[in-house]
Structures are given as C-alpha cells and as structure tokens.
Amino acid sequence: PLRLFLSWYVPRMLRETLAFSRRCEQVADALAVTVCGSKAACEAEAALALREKSLAARFWPELFGRAGKDDVEAARPFTRLLSGHAGAWPRDSAEAITWMHELLCRKTSPDDTHPSFAERMAATGVDPLRDLPTLPWRAPVPSAAQAWLGNAAPGIAQWLDHRWQQQAQSDWAAAKVHHLEK
C-alpha cells in the first residue's frame, strides 16, 4: 500500500513543487522590474542567460578538457572567471544574438524550476532583440565581483577554487580517464 501511495503522490507533489518554483521566479522577476525598471531587468536577464550558456557550452567543457593534461589543483575556475576568461562570455555580438534567438525559442518544460527565457523577457516588457541596441554580451570591466569585493576578490576566488577542487575530485578523475581513453 505504501508503494502504491508513493507512486501516486510523489509525481503529483513534484509537479506542484516545480510549478510553485516557477511562480516564485515570476514574482521575483516582477519585483526586479518594479525596483530596477524594465530595461535594467531585461539587460540583467539577458546577460545572465548569455553567461550561463557560455559557461555550459565553453568554459566548463574547456576546463574539464584539461583533466587529461593537468591535475585538479591546476584548475582554478573562479580565479579564471575573476580575470575575465574569454570562454565565460559569447565571442562576439553575432554569437550573442544567435544564442539570444535560441534561448527565446525554448519553451518551459514541466520539469523546469524557472519560466522559459522568452517568458522572463516578456515579463520585463522589453523586446531584447529590438529594444536593446547593444546586447550585454561583453564582460563588464571591472567585473561586478571586482567592483563589489575590491582587494578581497582574489582571496575569495582562491578560497572558492580550493573548495571546488575538493568537491570536483571524482568528476575530474572521471574526465581524466575519459581523455586518456581517447
């Protein structure tokens, strides 16, 4: 009886939990528009989405691609990010616009914790391809971390690198095996 109940209850609970998470994100987005304005909220959403795409498509794969050559101690992702590593951003405005189009075409999945990028953009009231003459695809100089943290930023990046290295040991070892087998 417990198994039957759980097989009925758990999928429904997950569905409602994910829908609730999406609603919470919509409220947060609406508050961002209220506090910062439509254009600033749109620019922030666009910059975060482009940064996330670049990190997933280029930065992290490139970093783990070094596993066959370097030990995990040589991998310092947060120090690289702080220095404005080129792989953490789109290469140019053409790539940023292409990625923006791709992101705008994706639909929200029932498994998503966030609304789709298109829904988030629509909530700002700004068309990112028409109303933003220049997409925020370049790394700001100085970065937000450098501006906010000042001289403490490098030390924090080193601390984060050390913590990441401890947690990434098994993934790094698996990547190393994968690269050595090629």
Side-chain angles (χ1 to χ4, degrees), residues 132-150:
L132 292 179
T134 56
L135 288 170
W137 64 270
R138 289 186 178 101
V141 178
S143 71
Q146 292 165 328
W148 291 333
L149 301 172

Side-chain angles (χ1 to χ4, degrees), residues 63-149:
L63 185 80
F64 275 91
R66 306 272 326 146
K69 302 172 187 85
D70 297 333
D71 289 330
V72 73
E73 290 78 24
R76 299 177 344 172
F78 296 98
T79 299
R80 288 179 184 203
L81 289 172
L82 185 63
S83 70
H85 189 275
W89 292 93
R91 288 184 184 103
D92 54 27
S93 63
E95 185 172 63
I97 290 169
T98 301
W99 285 358
M100 187 70 67
H101 279 286
E102 288 174 9
L103 291 165
L104 288 168
C105 290
R106 289 193 186 139
K107 304 285 185 218
T108 303
S109 162
D111 298 335
D112 288 337
T113 58
H114 289 67
S116 70
F117 181 69
E119 291 173 337
R120 296 183 96 167
M121 290 289 98
T124 68
V126 176
D127 179 346
L129 298 176
R130 187 191 74 220
D131 297 335
L132 292 179
T134 56
L135 288 170
W137 64 270
R138 289 186 178 101
V141 178
S143 71
Q146 292 165 328
W148 291 333
L149 301 172

Side-chain angles (χ1 to χ4, degrees), residues 4 6 12 50 66 77 119 133 144 159 170 172 177:
L4 286 173
L6 289 176
R12 284 163 181 77
L50 292 172
R66 306 272 326 146
E119 291 173 337
W159 181 82
S170 63
W172 193 263
V177 169

